[in-house]
Amino acid sequence: MHGGVGEEPDGEVLEFTVKSSHKKLFARVRTGNPIMRIHVSYAGTTVEGEGEEEDTVVPPIEGDLEFQLFRDVAPITANFIAGFAQAGFYDDQIFHRIIKDFVVQGGDPAGTGSGDVGFNFDHEFRPELIFTGRGQLAMANSNGGYNRGNPFGSGFISLGNSKATNGSQFFVTVKQPRHLDFRHTIFGQM
C-alpha cells in the first residue's frame, strides 16, 4: 500500500491511497513539477443546420486549463513550452484544430496548423509516457517525425528517424489515442 498527502492549487489538502494485491502493479504520483495555466475564452456561435436540421448553438466558454508539466521525464520539452508561455508566445493564439473524441490542438502562431516557432527540438519518448487517458499534453509533429526503432540509454526510446520535429504546436487528448504511443512527446497532464 502506498499513500501520501499533497496540496491542491487552491491550498486544500489532497490525500490518496493506492492498494493492490498484484506485486507488479504500482502507482506513481508526480510531484514538484511546474504548473502551466492556459486561459481559454470562446464567444460561442450558432452553426446553421443543413436542410431540415435545426441550428446548433455552441455556448460561450471561459476558464482556465491547468497542466502539470513533466519536467522530471521530459525536461527539454517542458522547459521549451514553459519558456514559450512565459515569454508570451502563446498569448491570444487559437486552438486551430478540434477533432471530436480525439484531440484539441494549438500553439501555432499562424493559427492554421502550418506555422512554427522557427526551429525544432528533439523528441523525448519514455516507456511510462503513453497515451492512456484524457487531458494528456503532447507535442504535435511536423512531417510525421517518427519511425519505429530500438531502445537506447537513459530510458528514452529512439524511433529510427529521430529527426527533431517538436516546435511550438501541442495537443490535448480527449480520449486514449494509443496509436500515437511513441510518436508524440507527452510532457504534461491536465
Side-chain angles (χ1 to χ4, degrees), residues 6-15 66:
E7 190 175 295
E8 291 193 34
D10 62 1
E12 293 289 318
V13 174
L14 175 66
E15 295 184 43
E66 191 170 277

Side-chain angles (χ1 to χ4, degrees), residues 23 43 64 116 118 126 156 163 170 172 176:
K23 58 184 163 184
D64 291 335
D116 62 43
R126 293 183 60 98
F156 287 87
K163 176 183 170 190
F170 60 87
V172 181
Q176 296 179 339

